[in-house]
Amino acid sequence: MNEAADRTGAWLRRWITAHGGVAGTVHARRGDDMVLAAAVNIPPPVVAVVGVVPKGKGMAGLAFERDAAVSTCNLKTDTTGDVRPGARAVDASAAVAIPVHDEAGEIRGVVGIAYQGERAMDDSELALLTREAEALPSA
């Protein structure tokens, strides 16, 4: 693992812990795809599936496409089509994927966090998560 990946993984662990999460990911933008840069408590089969996420596919890809947070109250029972089947293997319920921007306002990545219990996130919680996600170190 390189220094940037170590820094990204350490940041992700701190961010998840600070917000009571149980799992999370960081995807870095590579053209029209998102490439997994860090994962915490994500099962290996899911890591394999989300290694490269195309724009518009899954929660990270949708956050990239929409330039907006994408959330679910429960990964396992979501029927919106936003959650891909592989995400149901994560031992968590609620989750959110948040786009992160560079200085020019372009999306440079997507940060995801998952929670143990089912829950809805209000606007103030999403705003706080988004502000803090923008502090993601460059991958």
Side-chain angles (χ1 to χ4, degrees), residues 64-99:
F64 178 23
E65 180 179 65
R66 297 173 184 170
D67 194 5
V70 174
S71 64
T72 181
C73 294
N74 191 319
L75 287 167
K76 301 197 185 337
T77 62
D78 186 273
T79 58
T80 64
D82 290 353
V83 177
R84 303 297 298 170
R88 290 177 174 82
V90 176
D91 188 20
S93 294
V96 62
I98 302 164

Short mmCIF file of all heavy atoms in Angstrom, two decimals, residues 64-99:
data_model
loop_
_atom_site.label_atom_id
_atom_site.label_comp_id
_atom_site.label_asym_id
_atom_site.label_seq_id
_atom_site.Cartn_x
_atom_site.Cartn_y
_atom_site.Cartn_z
N PHE A 64 -21.90 9.98 -7.85
CA PHE A 64 -21.05 10.60 -8.87
C PHE A 64 -21.91 11.20 -9.98
O PHE A 64 -21.75 12.37 -10.35
CB PHE A 64 -20.10 9.52 -9.40
CG PHE A 64 -19.16 9.93 -10.49
CD1 PHE A 64 -18.78 11.25 -10.70
CD2 PHE A 64 -18.61 8.97 -11.31
CE1 PHE A 64 -17.89 11.60 -11.71
CE2 PHE A 64 -17.72 9.31 -12.32
CZ PHE A 64 -17.36 10.63 -12.53
N GLU A 65 -22.84 10.44 -10.49
CA GLU A 65 -23.69 10.90 -11.59
C GLU A 65 -24.56 12.08 -11.19
O GLU A 65 -24.71 13.05 -11.94
CB GLU A 65 -24.58 9.74 -12.05
CG GLU A 65 -25.51 10.10 -13.20
CD GLU A 65 -26.34 8.90 -13.62
OE1 GLU A 65 -27.17 8.43 -12.82
OE2 GLU A 65 -26.14 8.44 -14.76
N ARG A 66 -25.15 12.01 -10.01
CA ARG A 66 -26.09 13.04 -9.56
C ARG A 66 -25.42 14.24 -8.89
O ARG A 66 -26.06 15.26 -8.67
CB ARG A 66 -27.08 12.42 -8.56
CG ARG A 66 -27.94 11.33 -9.16
CD ARG A 66 -28.76 10.64 -8.08
NE ARG A 66 -29.52 9.52 -8.64
CZ ARG A 66 -30.17 8.63 -7.92
NH1 ARG A 66 -30.19 8.73 -6.58
NH2 ARG A 66 -30.83 7.65 -8.50
N ASP A 67 -24.15 14.07 -8.51
CA ASP A 67 -23.44 15.08 -7.72
C ASP A 67 -24.26 15.44 -6.48
O ASP A 67 -24.45 16.60 -6.13
CB ASP A 67 -23.12 16.33 -8.54
CG ASP A 67 -22.09 17.23 -7.85
OD1 ASP A 67 -21.56 16.84 -6.79
OD2 ASP A 67 -21.83 18.33 -8.37
N ALA A 68 -24.74 14.40 -5.82
CA ALA A 68 -25.54 14.56 -4.61
C ALA A 68 -25.43 13.28 -3.79
O ALA A 68 -25.19 12.19 -4.33
CB ALA A 68 -27.00 14.80 -4.97
N ALA A 69 -25.62 13.41 -2.48
CA ALA A 69 -25.60 12.25 -1.60
C ALA A 69 -26.72 11.29 -1.98
O ALA A 69 -27.82 11.71 -2.33
CB ALA A 69 -25.73 12.68 -0.15
N VAL A 70 -26.43 10.00 -1.90
CA VAL A 70 -27.40 8.95 -2.15
C VAL A 70 -27.45 8.12 -0.87
O VAL A 70 -26.42 7.64 -0.39
CB VAL A 70 -26.99 8.06 -3.34
CG1 VAL A 70 -27.92 6.88 -3.50
CG2 VAL A 70 -26.93 8.90 -4.62
N SER A 71 -28.65 7.96 -0.30
CA SER A 71 -28.75 7.24 0.96
C SER A 71 -29.88 6.22 0.93
O SER A 71 -30.78 6.28 0.09
CB SER A 71 -28.96 8.22 2.12
OG SER A 71 -30.19 8.90 1.99
N THR A 72 -29.79 5.29 1.87
CA THR A 72 -30.84 4.30 2.07
C THR A 72 -31.00 4.07 3.57
O THR A 72 -30.03 4.14 4.32
CB THR A 72 -30.53 2.97 1.36
OG1 THR A 72 -31.61 2.07 1.60
CG2 THR A 72 -29.24 2.33 1.86
N CYS A 73 -32.20 3.81 3.99
CA CYS A 73 -32.48 3.50 5.40
C CYS A 73 -32.04 2.07 5.72
O CYS A 73 -31.73 1.76 6.86
CB CYS A 73 -33.97 3.64 5.71
SG CYS A 73 -34.54 5.33 5.58
N ASN A 74 -32.05 1.18 4.71
CA ASN A 74 -31.70 -0.21 4.95
C ASN A 74 -31.19 -0.84 3.66
O ASN A 74 -31.95 -1.01 2.70
CB ASN A 74 -32.92 -0.98 5.47
CG ASN A 74 -32.55 -2.34 5.99
OD1 ASN A 74 -31.74 -3.05 5.41
ND2 ASN A 74 -33.16 -2.72 7.10
N LEU A 75 -29.89 -1.17 3.64
CA LEU A 75 -29.27 -1.78 2.47
C LEU A 75 -29.97 -3.07 2.04
O LEU A 75 -30.08 -3.37 0.86
CB LEU A 75 -27.80 -2.12 2.76
CG LEU A 75 -26.83 -0.97 2.85
CD1 LEU A 75 -25.51 -1.44 3.46
CD2 LEU A 75 -26.59 -0.37 1.48
N LYS A 76 -30.41 -3.85 3.01
CA LYS A 76 -30.95 -5.18 2.72
C LYS A 76 -32.36 -5.16 2.14
O LYS A 76 -32.75 -6.07 1.42
CB LYS A 76 -30.88 -6.04 3.97
CG LYS A 76 -29.44 -6.18 4.48
CD LYS A 76 -29.27 -7.29 5.43
CE LYS A 76 -27.90 -7.41 6.05
NZ LYS A 76 -26.76 -6.86 5.41
N THR A 77 -33.13 -4.11 2.45
CA THR A 77 -34.53 -4.09 2.00
C THR A 77 -34.83 -2.97 1.01
O THR A 77 -35.97 -2.81 0.60
CB THR A 77 -35.49 -3.95 3.20
OG1 THR A 77 -35.23 -2.71 3.87
CG2 THR A 77 -35.33 -5.11 4.17
N ASP A 78 -33.81 -2.21 0.61
CA ASP A 78 -34.02 -1.09 -0.30
C ASP A 78 -34.63 -1.56 -1.62
O ASP A 78 -34.18 -2.55 -2.20
CB ASP A 78 -32.68 -0.39 -0.58
CG ASP A 78 -32.85 0.87 -1.39
OD1 ASP A 78 -32.86 0.76 -2.64
OD2 ASP A 78 -33.00 1.93 -0.80
N THR A 79 -35.65 -0.85 -2.08
CA THR A 79 -36.31 -1.21 -3.33
C THR A 79 -36.23 -0.09 -4.37
O THR A 79 -36.88 -0.15 -5.40
CB THR A 79 -37.79 -1.56 -3.09
OG1 THR A 79 -38.43 -0.44 -2.49
CG2 THR A 79 -37.95 -2.79 -2.21
N THR A 80 -35.38 0.92 -4.12
CA THR A 80 -35.29 2.06 -5.03
C THR A 80 -34.52 1.74 -6.30
O THR A 80 -34.63 2.44 -7.29
CB THR A 80 -34.58 3.25 -4.35
OG1 THR A 80 -33.22 2.87 -4.06
CG2 THR A 80 -35.30 3.69 -3.10
N GLY A 81 -33.69 0.70 -6.24
CA GLY A 81 -32.81 0.39 -7.36
C GLY A 81 -31.46 1.06 -7.21
O GLY A 81 -30.54 0.81 -7.99
N ASP A 82 -31.29 1.92 -6.20
CA ASP A 82 -30.02 2.61 -5.97
C ASP A 82 -28.98 1.67 -5.36
O ASP A 82 -27.78 1.88 -5.52
CB ASP A 82 -30.20 3.80 -5.02
CG ASP A 82 -30.97 4.95 -5.67
OD1 ASP A 82 -31.25 4.88 -6.89
OD2 ASP A 82 -31.30 5.91 -4.95
N VAL A 83 -29.41 0.65 -4.64
CA VAL A 83 -28.51 -0.27 -3.96
C VAL A 83 -28.32 -1.52 -4.82
O VAL A 83 -29.29 -2.16 -5.20
CB VAL A 83 -29.08 -0.66 -2.57
CG1 VAL A 83 -28.18 -1.67 -1.88
CG2 VAL A 83 -29.26 0.58 -1.71
N ARG A 84 -27.08 -1.83 -5.10
CA ARG A 84 -26.77 -3.01 -5.90
C ARG A 84 -26.83 -4.25 -5.01
O ARG A 84 -26.61 -4.18 -3.81
CB ARG A 84 -25.38 -2.89 -6.54
CG ARG A 84 -25.20 -1.65 -7.40
CD ARG A 84 -26.09 -1.62 -8.59
NE ARG A 84 -25.79 -2.75 -9.46
CZ ARG A 84 -26.52 -3.10 -10.49
NH1 ARG A 84 -27.59 -2.43 -10.80
NH2 ARG A 84 -26.18 -4.12 -11.22
N PRO A 85 -27.10 -5.43 -5.58
CA PRO A 85 -27.22 -6.65 -4.78
C PRO A 85 -26.00 -6.94 -3.90
O PRO A 85 -26.15 -7.39 -2.78
CB PRO A 85 -27.43 -7.74 -5.84
CG PRO A 85 -28.06 -7.04 -6.98
CD PRO A 85 -27.44 -5.65 -6.99
N GLY A 86 -24.80 -6.68 -4.38
CA GLY A 86 -23.60 -6.95 -3.59
C GLY A 86 -23.53 -6.17 -2.29
O GLY A 86 -22.98 -6.63 -1.30
N ALA A 87 -24.12 -4.98 -2.27
CA ALA A 87 -24.09 -4.16 -1.06
C ALA A 87 -24.86 -4.81 0.07
O ALA A 87 -24.58 -4.54 1.25
CB ALA A 87 -24.66 -2.77 -1.35
N ARG A 88 -25.78 -5.68 -0.25
CA ARG A 88 -26.57 -6.35 0.79
C ARG A 88 -25.71 -7.30 1.62
O ARG A 88 -26.11 -7.72 2.70
CB ARG A 88 -27.75 -7.08 0.16
CG ARG A 88 -28.79 -6.10 -0.37
CD ARG A 88 -29.96 -6.81 -1.07
NE ARG A 88 -30.99 -5.86 -1.44
CZ ARG A 88 -30.97 -5.10 -2.53
NH1 ARG A 88 -29.95 -5.17 -3.36
NH2 ARG A 88 -31.96 -4.26 -2.79
N ALA A 89 -24.51 -7.65 1.14
CA ALA A 89 -23.61 -8.53 1.88
C ALA A 89 -22.88 -7.81 3.00
O ALA A 89 -22.29 -8.45 3.86
CB ALA A 89 -22.60 -9.16 0.93
N VAL A 90 -22.92 -6.49 3.00
CA VAL A 90 -22.28 -5.71 4.07
C VAL A 90 -23.13 -5.85 5.32
O VAL A 90 -24.35 -5.76 5.27
CB VAL A 90 -22.14 -4.22 3.66
CG1 VAL A 90 -21.58 -3.40 4.80
CG2 VAL A 90 -21.28 -4.10 2.41
N ASP A 91 -22.46 -6.09 6.45
CA ASP A 91 -23.18 -6.27 7.71
C ASP A 91 -23.57 -4.91 8.28
O ASP A 91 -22.98 -4.41 9.24
CB ASP A 91 -22.31 -7.05 8.71
CG ASP A 91 -23.07 -7.43 9.96
OD1 ASP A 91 -24.33 -7.44 9.92
OD2 ASP A 91 -22.42 -7.70 10.98
N ALA A 92 -24.53 -4.28 7.64
CA ALA A 92 -24.99 -2.94 8.03
C ALA A 92 -26.40 -2.74 7.47
O ALA A 92 -26.88 -3.55 6.69
CB ALA A 92 -24.05 -1.88 7.49
N SER A 93 -27.01 -1.65 7.87
CA SER A 93 -28.36 -1.33 7.38
C SER A 93 -28.36 -0.02 6.62
O SER A 93 -28.35 0.01 5.41
CB SER A 93 -29.36 -1.30 8.54
OG SER A 93 -29.51 -2.58 9.09
N ALA A 94 -28.38 1.10 7.34
CA ALA A 94 -28.42 2.41 6.69
C ALA A 94 -27.06 2.73 6.07
O ALA A 94 -26.02 2.30 6.56
CB ALA A 94 -28.79 3.48 7.71
N ALA A 95 -27.09 3.49 4.98
CA ALA A 95 -25.84 3.87 4.32
C ALA A 95 -26.05 5.15 3.52
O ALA A 95 -27.17 5.47 3.11
CB ALA A 95 -25.37 2.75 3.39
N VAL A 96 -24.93 5.84 3.28
CA VAL A 96 -24.96 7.03 2.44
C VAL A 96 -23.65 7.11 1.67
O VAL A 96 -22.59 6.75 2.19
CB VAL A 96 -25.21 8.33 3.27
CG1 VAL A 96 -24.12 8.58 4.27
CG2 VAL A 96 -25.39 9.54 2.37
N ALA A 97 -23.73 7.53 0.41
CA ALA A 97 -22.57 7.78 -0.45
C ALA A 97 -22.57 9.26 -0.78
O ALA A 97 -23.59 9.81 -1.20
CB ALA A 97 -22.65 6.94 -1.72
N ILE A 98 -21.41 9.91 -0.57
CA ILE A 98 -21.32 11.37 -0.67
C ILE A 98 -20.24 11.76 -1.67
O ILE A 98 -19.08 11.37 -1.51
CB ILE A 98 -20.96 11.97 0.71
CG1 ILE A 98 -22.03 11.57 1.74
CG2 ILE A 98 -20.79 13.47 0.63
CD1 ILE A 98 -21.59 11.78 3.17
N PRO A 99 -20.58 12.55 -2.68
CA PRO A 99 -19.55 13.02 -3.61
C PRO A 99 -18.63 14.03 -2.93
O PRO A 99 -19.06 14.81 -2.08
CB PRO A 99 -20.34 13.67 -4.74
CG PRO A 99 -21.65 14.03 -4.14
CD PRO A 99 -21.90 13.06 -3.03
#
